[in-house]
Amino acid sequence: MPEVLDSPADLDLYTPHPRVRGMTTLDRAAFTKEVVIPVLRVKKDVLHKVGKSIKGLLLQRPGLKRVIEDPGDDGKRLILLDPHRIPADCSLGEAEQEVLKSFDVSPEVVKYNLELTYDNFKVEEVLQAVLPEGQEVTTAFSRIGHIAHLNLRDHQLPYRHLIGQVIIDKNPGLTCAVNKTNIIDSAYRNFKMEVLAGEGADMVTKVRGFFWRPFPVARSPDLAGCGRVFPGGPV
């Protein structure tokens, strides 16, 4: 059964486990960590109403359910709260307490040991945890269909395959990530592409001999969903 929260919960929800620092080959399991968060115990019959009334306090993390089963009571559920929005004394404000009282819900905040996994971290959080501290993190890319086109800096190259895989993992619909190299091929000045992660074999064939000119999808809606790489003329 969850215990009363009598000390501040973990505020370090947005940083993966320190052991991932310097990782060059993606090990998703290494990102798993356990944190203590505040929760409320709420009866199932008023769960939706309570959740809607205090939605500003709810914990929001990618791939994470905000309501889970109460291991100590089948008739109740646990609502996960964001420790950044709970006062240091671990109590709710007067307004929130009045709302809970109207639904006959105890305002007592209890603690819960929550396991965070790779799926619960954003792309920038993953890359900031992996790359050396203080180094610039690249999360922007151009997208043509299912292909992500990156233009990585020199200091990011040792981590390029991991970066490519993380970009694919965190952006539904992507199946391949490539990086433009500094090598210019042929009289047409075609930039060679290195496949970083995903479906690479076919991509090498498609890119070779073509001019790659990436357009952000937001500015080129006519290219959204296009899976082909178009041949270009002389530059």
Side-chain angles (χ1 to χ4, degrees):
M1 179 181 296
E3 301 176 6
V4 175
L5 187 66
D6 53 9
S7 59
D10 290 333
L11 298 179
D12 195 16
L13 287 173
Y14 309 121
T15 305
H17 197 284
R19 62 173 166 256
V20 304
R21 180 75 66 189
M23 178 186 295
T24 55
T25 300
L26 183 60
D27 178 3
R28 297 176 182 83
F31 287 82
T32 301
K33 64 182 293 188
E34 190 172 277
V35 295
V36 177
I37 65 166
V39 300
L40 282 175
R41 305 181 69 204
V42 179
K43 295 179 181 178
K44 290 193 295 185
D45 57 351
V46 295
L47 186 62
H48 178 71
K49 294 180 180 179
V50 172
K52 187 176 181 179
S53 300
I54 62 170
K55 62 181 180 180
L57 299 179
L58 303 187
L59 179 62
Q60 299 187 35
R61 289 269 78 199
L64 188 67
K65 294 181 179 180
R66 288 177 283 184
V67 177
I68 59 176
E69 294 185 1
D70 185 342
D73 191 337
D74 291 338
K76 293 183 178 181
R77 294 292 184 266
L78 300 180
I79 296 182
L80 310 187
L81 305 178
D82 188 340
H84 292 88
R85 300 179 181 273
I86 302 298
D89 62 359
C90 307
S91 63
L92 299 178
E94 292 185 9
E96 289 80 11
Q97 292 191 39
E98 287 298 321
V99 168
L100 295 178
K101 183 178 180 180
S102 68
F103 293 114
D104 194 26
V105 174
S106 171
E108 184 179 66
V109 178
V110 296
K111 63 182 179 180
Y112 179 77
N113 293 327
L114 176 69
E115 183 180 82
L116 295 176
T117 70
Y118 171 79
D119 293 334
N120 305 135
F121 294 106
K122 300 177 182 179
V123 59
E124 59 268 22
E125 294 167 349
V126 170
L127 298 183
Q128 285 171 356
V130 170
L131 269 64
E133 293 186 67
Q135 289 196 0
E136 180 185 2
V137 171
T138 295
T139 59
F141 60 90
S142 297
R143 177 171 182 165
I144 297 182
H146 62 282
I147 305 162
H149 172 225
L150 293 82
N151 193 2
L152 299 179
R153 304 288 183 85
D154 288 344
H155 72 273
Q156 298 163 340
L157 293 180
Y159 308 91
R160 62 190 183 279
H161 296 295
L162 181 145
I163 293 173
Q165 187 59 59
V166 173
I167 293 293
I168 292 175
D169 288 347
K170 302 297 184 179
N171 292 276
L174 290 180
T175 62
C176 181
V178 300
N179 184 48
K180 184 178 72 175
T181 70
N182 292 325
I183 302 174
I184 299 177
D185 184 24
S186 82
Y188 292 103
R189 296 178 59 82
N190 299 336
F191 286 96
K192 284 190 174 181
M193 294 289 169
E194 179 186 11
V195 176
L196 303 180
E199 299 175 356
D202 292 339
M203 193 59 221
V204 174
T205 301
K206 292 176 182 178
V207 171
R208 186 174 297 137
F210 290 88
F211 179 75
W212 181 282
R213 187 186 300 276
F215 293 90
V217 173
R219 293 190 295 170
S220 302
D222 55 315
L223 292 181
C226 174
R228 293 181 295 167
V229 179
F230 294 94
V235 177

